[in-house]
Amino acid sequence: MKMLDKVVDVHGWLSDKDFIWWPFSFLRPVPAAPMTFQLTCLMTICFAGLSSLMYAVYSIINNAFDAPTLLKNILMFFVLFFIWFNVVTKPLWNQRARRLKV
């Protein structure tokens, strides 16, 4: 249990940094508020959308644009962000939120 508390503390410390949420700081709930599934879906759309845009620009700049690869990577961004936010971020955030409410 002690190790989980340390992981929650480190995750909370990182999650409180503005650069982690850039440019979507408005999505960050207050530390004592639980993170909902709806919020993680919105976060997925925002962060995966930004990553997809950045990847598309990178591909064009490097003359490596390929539509099938781009579509595959966009899908991968959405799946990976969705999994990360719901398997890692939300449980750790909510663990800290429960602790802060006590």
Side-chain angles (χ1 to χ4, degrees):
M1 193 67 159
K2 280 262 189 208
M3 184 62 165
L4 179 59
D5 288 340
K6 288 181 183 183
V7 170
V8 169
D9 289 342
V10 169
H11 182 269
W13 177 78
L14 274 172
S15 295
D16 289 339
K17 305 296 180 198
D18 286 336
F19 71 89
I20 295 292
W21 292 87
W22 181 89
F24 306 111
S25 329
F26 62 91
L27 292 174
R28 179 177 49 198
V30 295
M35 190 173 280
T36 65
F37 179 73
Q38 290 82 1
L39 179 60
T40 61
C41 288
L42 182 58
M43 290 164 51
T44 297
I45 291 167
C46 291
F47 284 98
L50 178 62
S51 298
S52 299
L53 178 64
M54 292 169 70
Y55 180 78
V57 169
Y58 173 83
S59 296
I60 292 168
I61 288 172
N62 287 295
N63 200 23
F65 182 82
D66 176 49
T69 302
L70 177 65
L71 292 174
K72 180 186 80 168
N73 285 332
I74 289 172
L75 178 62
M76 180 185 66
F77 289 137
F78 277 88
V79 168
L80 292 176
F81 273 109
F82 182 80
I83 290 170
W84 178 263
F85 289 146
N86 285 287
V87 173
V88 177
T89 302
K90 186 172 106 176
L92 292 175
W93 184 279
N94 289 344
Q95 177 74 18
R96 180 175 78 150
R98 281 190 295 275
R99 200 174 5 160
L100 290 174
K101 281 189 178 185
V102 172

